[in-house]
Amino acid sequence: MQKTIVARTGNEAVAEAMRQINPDVCAAYPITPATEIMQIFSTFVADGLVKTNLITAESEHSAMSACVGSAASGARTMTATAAQGLALMHEILYIASGLRLPIVMADVNRALSGPINIHCDHSDTMAERDSGWIQIFSENSQEAYDNLIQAVRIAEHKDVLLPAMVTTDGFIISHGMERLEMYPDEEIQKFIGEYKPAYNLLNVENPITVGSLVLTDYYMEHKRAQHEAMKNSVKVIKDIGKEFGKIFGKEYDMIEKYKIDDADYILICLGSTAGTTKVAVEELRQEGMKVGLVKIRVFRPFPAEDIVNAIKNAKSVAILDRSESLSTQAGPVATEVKAALYDAAINIPIKPYIYGLGGREIYVEQIKNVFKSIKDLKKTEPVSYLGVKE
Amino acid sequence: MLKNMKEIRWHGRGGQGAKTAALLLGEAAINAGKYVQAFPEYGPERMGAPVAAYDRIADEEISIHSPIINPDAVVVLDETLIDAVDVTKGLSEQTGVLIINTPFSKEEIQKKLTWRGKIIVLDASKIALETIGKPIPNTPMMGALVAATGIMDINHLIDDTKHKLEKKFRTKPEVIEGNLQAIKRAYEEVKKQ
């Protein structure tokens, strides 16, 4: 297949993927650092490169509400946002997933206020981890592009029918220009296929009710069905990741394993820090320390089994969380990994870290020190802060 | 760290094109088959305020996503920044190179610095004024950087810049020619040093 090598920032890569997906409807409201996505995409609309009906809403709450209406009408629907924008959508995110609407959203990870900050952390996405959306993290521009294309197929799959968000690290990826391999428009169209919803509001031949009141009688069954859909999505995400690899050359899974086969010490993280960790792994291996990385690509559904299988033979594990849950225990990633290990009755010493909040820089040297900090770890430790001014 | 990876830091004042230069250079390197990261430093952005931008250029995929702390080369678009910003921060005195846009001599610039390494001076604003008609030093400084570091073939940079400017300045061919002349002149002047 003819690939085109171009220079694109994360936001540009996401906008290009949206152009190639060519959704029926896009409703959005701009917010730093995601603004460029819609700014670029709106030029595609104005230039007639897509047939998308662009709705410029007056807030993110309205944007997501418009997405819900559009998706319920059977239209392939997309949007993009970040931080406060995602938080303002919060109420409607649950409605989108509860109504089983396969909306696809690009979320550019930015710290939630306050204090007000525009830089990267994962607090916005993590605050929506229970909203019923599939959550896919990207290490770089290429993955953001690839993930967004796959997200359409995953969300719309008949065994799933759930909304999906694809995230990129704010500024680090969204505004950093990298080499991007783009695939031909027609190959993307062929891959995602035509969207044929089983039900839609505009089908007068088969009228349906959307958003009806469900009380003690059936609300719980709806949640149970969402639970099953999330479980189903694991196989779908894996199958589509493999298929994507066959066609486009790079395979995707729930997690990425990097040099873990003989690793004594493993670090778990997600997003752009996984790339930086790969450099730390290479350097430490040259120094003779057997280390490896598990990158969580899909955080929702949580790949508990895959993670346990990947780390079960390690002597100790460090977990990096780029968001605070303020539970005083650990961040969301560490909490869930520990629960998964408990379920598997595996007792590996864990050292959880909080790092990179509000865009605080993370360096290879710091990650190497994290690996060194678990070298003689005998038992699980309380959460530590990495790179903080104490 | 990848072998053969070059890291570059650009210092300028808001409006001088430090970010544009980093992106143009990065794109030219990608079109030459290299792997690249180009990114600005985000803070309060205003006309005239000190800004920084960065490039990483390598032959293999670059997975690191940290700020650049030990650049191989530093380009300073405005010599008055020397008094305001630590432009040689993290720059090796043994292997690093500092390229400054200034009408002053190397010796005069050296007096302002405690850093003792390779300094290259070039009056890029004058070159830009004479070739483009505006004292915007970013494109000639790209030529100077390529001359000082050899990160790519100068003809590739010229061709790639031409291709890009042709899209942007379709109605102003003199801007395109001026920029290309500026890159060439800066390259040649640095090569002579």
Side-chain angles (χ1 to χ4, degrees):
Chain A
M1 182 190 311
Q2 187 64 40
K3 292 178 187 172
T4 315
I5 310 292
V6 290
R8 291 287 184 277
T9 65
N11 280 345
E12 289 168 347
V14 166
E16 290 285 8
M18 287 176 69
R19 177 182 63 71
Q20 294 184 310
I21 291 164
N22 196 352
D24 300 314
V25 173
C26 183
Y29 187 83
I31 181 167
T32 301
T35 301
E36 275 178 340
I37 295 173
M38 291 315 302
Q39 182 193 322
I40 298 163
F41 187 73
S42 66
T43 66
F44 295 152
V45 174
D47 292 346
L49 298 176
V50 287
K51 59 169 175 49
T52 307
N53 188 341
L54 181 70
I55 302 168
T56 50
E58 80 278 17
S59 75
E60 288 86 354
H61 190 276
S62 301
M64 185 46 67
S65 299
C67 286
V68 164
S70 139
S73 317
R76 185 173 266 161
T77 305
M78 296 184 79
T79 188
T81 194
Q84 306 309 116
L86 186 63
L88 190 54
M89 288 178 177
H90 174 77
E91 179 191 4
I92 315 299
L93 295 180
Y94 281 68
I95 296 174
S97 62
L99 294 179
R100 309 293 298 276
L101 302 173
I103 300 164
V104 173
M105 163 157 60
D107 176 43
V108 183
N109 286 128
R110 162 184 158 180
L112 283 173
S113 300
I116 191 165
N117 178 294
I118 58 167
H119 287 284
C120 173
D121 70 31
H122 298 155
S123 54
D124 54 353
T125 304
M126 289 303 172
E128 305 306 338
R129 64 185 187 268
D130 299 342
S131 66
W133 283 58
I134 288 168
Q135 296 183 321
I136 308 175
F137 282 78
S138 318
E139 184 185 315
N140 50 38
S141 293
Q142 186 71 54
E143 289 195 1
Y145 172 83
D146 293 354
N147 283 338
L148 205 66
I149 292 162
Q150 292 172 67
V152 175
R153 280 277 304 277
I154 295 164
E156 292 172 0
H157 193 282
K158 65 174 174 46
D159 297 336
V160 180
L161 287 175
L162 289 172
M165 62 178 82
V166 171
T167 80
T168 48
D169 282 352
F171 289 103
I172 302 164
I173 300 305
S174 70
H175 287 63
M177 192 189 78
E178 295 182 337
R179 179 184 187 276
L180 176 73
E181 287 186 4
M182 281 184 63
Y183 321 120
D185 293 1
E186 59 276 13
E187 290 295 330
I188 302 298
Q189 276 300 317
K190 211 159 87 188
F191 181 77
I192 61 172
E194 199 189 332
Y195 176 41
K196 289 182 195 139
Y199 304 96
N200 81 68
L201 268 180
L202 300 182
N203 184 359
V204 290
E205 304 296 323
N206 182 19
I208 56 163
T209 301
V210 172
S212 57
L213 183 69
V214 180
L215 298 176
T216 50
D217 51 356
Y218 273 107
Y219 180 88
M220 202 156 163
E221 285 66 27
H222 278 267
K223 293 300 137 186
R224 180 79 178 94
Q226 275 175 260
H227 179 104
E228 284 306 309
M230 268 292 177
K231 270 166 99 176
N232 292 344
S233 75
V234 175
K235 183 175 185 302
V236 173
I237 293 166
K238 283 173 181 271
D239 288 349
I240 288 173
K242 273 198 197 99
E243 186 189 331
F244 189 87
K246 278 199 191 93
I247 299 170
F248 300 106
K250 190 182 176 191
E251 235 180 64
Y252 286 86
D253 203 336
M254 299 290 284
I255 62 171
E256 181 188 331
K257 294 173 271 193
Y258 188 79
K259 312 234 160 154
I260 61 159
D261 287 347
D262 63 341
D264 293 328
Y265 311 101
I266 292 177
L267 186 149
I268 300 176
C269 66
L270 23 74
S272 65
T273 306
T276 309
T277 303
K278 287 172 185 171
V279 179
V281 167
E282 292 299 335
E283 292 189 8
L284 283 175
R285 279 189 170 263
Q286 274 172 18
E287 294 169 24
M289 194 173 171
K290 283 184 187 168
V291 294
L293 159 75
V294 169
K295 173 177 92 183
I296 299 179
R297 173 187 176 236
V298 182
F299 187 72
R300 282 291 181 267
F302 189 73
E305 204 182 319
D306 286 359
I307 294 172
V308 167
N309 284 333
I311 65 175
K312 65 183 178 197
N313 295 323
K315 286 181 181 155
S316 54
V317 173
I319 303 170
L320 298 190
D321 261 290
R322 200 164 195 159
S323 64
E324 247 294 8
S325 67
L326 299 172
S327 69
T328 74
Q329 297 302 300
V333 182
T335 304
E336 302 223 6
V337 172
K338 283 175 162 180
L341 285 171
Y342 185 89
D343 289 349
I346 292 171
N347 191 5
I348 305 174
I350 301 282
K351 194 165 167 69
Y353 284 93
I354 303 273
Y355 81 103
L357 303 186
R360 177 63 51 82
E361 300 83 354
I362 177 88
Y363 295 100
V364 172
E365 222 36 56
Q366 289 174 300
I367 295 173
K368 284 168 76 174
N369 287 336
V370 166
F371 274 117
K372 287 172 187 168
S373 78
I374 60 167
K375 210 174 167 186
D376 299 311
L377 196 67
K378 293 283 174 278
K379 60 180 182 44
T380 293
E381 286 191 5
V383 67
S384 309
Y385 261 69
L386 180 65
V388 73
K389 298 165 188 148
E390 296 282 9
Chain B
M1 207 62 77
L2 295 175
K3 20 180 212 305
N4 303 327
M5 182 163 77
K6 292 279 181 232
E7 295 183 313
I8 298 144
R9 185 171 70 220
W10 298 79
H11 289 286
R13 291 190 179 275
Q16 286 181 323
K19 177 187 166 186
T20 306
L23 295 180
L24 279 173
L25 183 83
E27 202 171 343
I30 284 173
N31 292 334
K34 297 201 180 268
Y35 287 81
V36 165
Q37 285 176 356
F39 49 97
E41 193 164 81
Y42 282 93
E45 288 151 70
R46 330 176 278 286
M47 209 63 144
V51 294
Y54 304 86
D55 284 294
R56 279 196 177 97
I57 299 176
D59 296 327
E60 301 160 68
E61 188 177 341
I62 305 167
S63 72
I64 186 168
H65 280 107
S66 302
I68 289 171
I69 39 176
N70 294 117
D72 299 287
V74 171
V75 186
V76 182
L77 297 181
D78 185 328
E79 118 237 331
T80 64
L81 284 168
I82 295 175
D83 303 318
V85 181
D86 184 4
V87 295
T88 57
K89 193 175 178 186
L91 186 65
S92 159
E93 293 187 334
Q94 282 73 45
T95 57
V97 56
L98 177 67
I99 310 160
I100 301 182
N101 169 30
T102 174
F104 295 109
S105 70
K106 206 180 285 187
E107 292 69 30
E108 283 167 301
I109 292 294
Q110 182 65 79
K111 277 181 210 157
K112 294 184 171 202
L113 297 166
T114 54
W115 186 80
R116 295 284 174 271
K118 188 178 175 189
I119 297 174
I120 288 172
V121 293
L122 179 77
D123 197 345
S125 296
K126 182 165 167 258
I127 292 175
L129 199 58
E130 288 173 6
T131 52
I132 311 165
K134 280 181 192 168
I136 301 171
N138 61 352
T139 46
M141 288 303 271
M142 290 195 327
L145 174 72
V146 170
T149 60
I151 44 171
M152 72 179 85
D153 187 325
I154 188 67
N155 291 317
H156 179 82
L157 177 68
I158 291 168
D159 289 347
D160 194 76
T161 308
K162 183 174 178 224
H163 183 67
K164 260 174 295 199
L165 294 181
E166 273 171 352
K167 279 190 213 157
K168 204 174 167 187
F169 295 103
R170 224 170 292 163
T171 54
K172 293 182 185 167
E174 70 281 5
V175 175
I176 303 166
E177 196 44 43
N179 272 289
L180 301 181
Q181 282 306 324
I183 295 174
K184 270 183 225 167
R185 254 186 67 182
Y187 176 83
E188 281 156 16
E189 283 190 26
V190 170
K191 276 287 176 194
K192 267 184 249 161
Q193 283 187 28

